[in-house]
Amino acid sequence: MARPRVLLVVTADDFGYCPRRDEGIVEAFLAGAVTSVSLLVNGTAAESAAELARRHQIPTGLHANLSEGRPVGPARPGASSLLSPEGFFLGKMGFREAVAAGDVALPQVREELEAQLIRFRELLGRDPTHVDGHQHVHVLPGVCQVFAETLQANGVHFTRLPVECGVDRCAWLEAPAQAFACAVERDARAAVGPFSRHGLRWTDAFVGLSTCGRHMSAHRVSGALAWALEGIPTGHTLTAELMAHPGYPSVPPAGGCGEGPDAFSCSWERLHELRVLTAPTLRARLAQEGVQLCTLHNLDSKRPGEGVLGEASLETFLEPSPPCP
């Protein structure tokens, strides 16, 4: 049996975080290596990033941010469960701990998400192609319900479901990164119900937790895609998303979301991802394996009956998966 055709969306996260990151992302888009970007509307370079997106006609979604920097909405220190006394979001792990403790007021989450959607429309003059979550906050328990309701109310249909097979068995991942990836995957599996009930759509498969930063290579991206698509029904064209964080590394104090750039953005690993994505090796390998890069618009244009994965189709997909390659 011939290998099924795969449509792959390559999404560059953190667009608008800093000019140097954005420069690399645009370079990757113009090279045909990135097909979509997710914009941080509270990023210090959000306005210039939006101008780049308009100039180069880059398909752009919202990278909903509840964990880093300053809010877009009217939240105020002392009056918002989302903020520290200094007026910043609680951080990647701080926000998760507050959600787990029941200390986050979900109506305030909705208010901030609405404000970020409004800001996106102000910057781009249109609705986002998709909405996902910075540091995967959109799949956290409770938050995912509000997230799904807000997207449905705003007519947004596409999101990201960061379920990637076998991240618990990827020996190359450092222990903290592996633990975080496994937690994200567990939360994403639990978010399927709320996402599906509110009409959200996502790709059949997702890759990016095991191939982030120094761990990205043509071999690992190809292998992770093969494992991720294992067991998915092949009666239609399969779809997948590769999450990436390419760009030229941030140089302080430029960048960030109000607190300066973090170590992740300043790392040489951002340049490593840019080089892997734009090198001929990866795209040649993907093409050889029947993988075609595309945009979310291409997914929407699929023939009837070839819609992206929904809750009913996930029964097989969410069975325990084999080890990563």
Side-chain angles (χ1 to χ4, degrees):
M1 181 179 295
R3 178 188 174 94
R5 181 165 170 262
V6 178
L7 297 178
L8 178 66
V9 176
V10 182
T11 306
D13 286 0
D14 303 340
F15 198 49
Y17 195 86
C18 89
R20 284 177 54 81
R21 291 282 302 279
D22 295 345
E23 179 185 353
I25 289 171
V26 171
E27 182 179 311
F29 174 77
L30 295 176
V34 159
T35 64
S36 174
V37 299
S38 290
L39 175 68
L40 284 163
V41 295
N42 72 332
T44 58
E47 291 189 6
S48 59
E51 197 280 326
L52 288 169
R54 291 192 301 271
R55 182 193 312 166
H56 298 293
Q57 298 183 317
I58 304 174
T60 305
L62 172 64
H63 206 39
N65 186 3
L66 300 169
S67 57
E68 183 180 357
R70 295 190 183 277
V72 172
R76 294 290 180 269
S80 174
S81 62
L82 305 179
L83 303 182
S84 70
E86 294 74 32
F88 297 109
F89 287 132
L90 302 175
K92 175 179 173 180
M93 302 312 297
F95 182 68
R96 284 172 162 75
E97 291 164 2
V99 168
D103 293 336
V104 170
L106 294 178
Q108 293 173 346
V109 168
R110 186 190 310 274
E111 184 178 61
E112 180 61 26
L113 289 174
E114 291 277 5
Q116 293 190 20
L117 282 162
I118 291 170
R119 181 58 178 152
F120 183 96
R121 295 186 187 106
E122 290 173 349
L123 289 168
L124 273 297
R126 59 166 178 79
D127 289 333
T129 57
H130 65 278
V131 181
D132 53 37
H134 184 49
Q135 300 170 339
H136 308 290
V137 294
H138 67 303
V139 297
L140 290 173
V143 174
C144 65
Q145 175 72 27
V146 174
F147 176 84
E149 292 172 358
T150 304
L151 265 58
Q152 183 181 48
N154 283 272
V156 178
H157 306 294
F158 254 102
T159 190
R160 169 185 293 165
L161 189 76
V163 172
E164 181 176 349
C165 96
V167 289
D168 59 328
R169 303 181 185 94
C170 294
W172 60 85
L173 292 177
E174 298 83 358
Q178 189 172 66
F180 180 73
C182 289
V184 167
E185 188 183 29
R186 286 194 301 270
D187 289 337
R189 290 170 184 262
V192 167
F195 283 8
S196 184
R197 286 192 293 273
H198 291 280
L200 298 187
R201 304 171 65 219
W202 52 89
T203 54
D204 294 320
F206 167 83
V207 171
L209 295 171
S210 68
T211 60
C212 186
R214 73 189 71 186
H215 305 302
M216 181 177 281
S217 68
H219 171 73
R220 283 189 175 146
V221 169
S222 171
L225 272 173
W227 283 117
L229 293 164
E230 187 75 27
I232 294 179
T234 57
H236 57 62
T237 302
L238 299 178
T239 64
E241 179 186 15
L242 170 62
M243 173 188 71
H245 301 85
Y248 294 100
S250 300
V251 177
C257 299
E259 300 173 276
D262 60 11
F264 181 90
S265 191
C266 294
S267 171
W268 62 269
E269 297 184 45
R270 309 285 67 78
L271 180 57
H272 173 74
E273 288 199 30
L274 176 62
R275 287 173 172 166
V276 171
L277 290 170
T278 55
T281 307
L282 175 60
R283 281 176 288 170
R285 183 164 187 156
L286 293 176
Q288 184 179 21
E289 294 172 354
V291 179
Q292 176 185 330
L293 270 59
C294 72
T295 67
L296 289 175
H297 173 73
N298 297 138
L299 302 191
D300 270 334
S301 301
K302 290 169 67 178
R303 294 190 301 274
E306 292 189 332
V308 295
L309 208 60
E311 185 174 27
S313 305
L314 279 171
E315 185 175 347
T316 302
F317 178 47
L318 294 184
E319 290 297 312
S321 52
C324 282

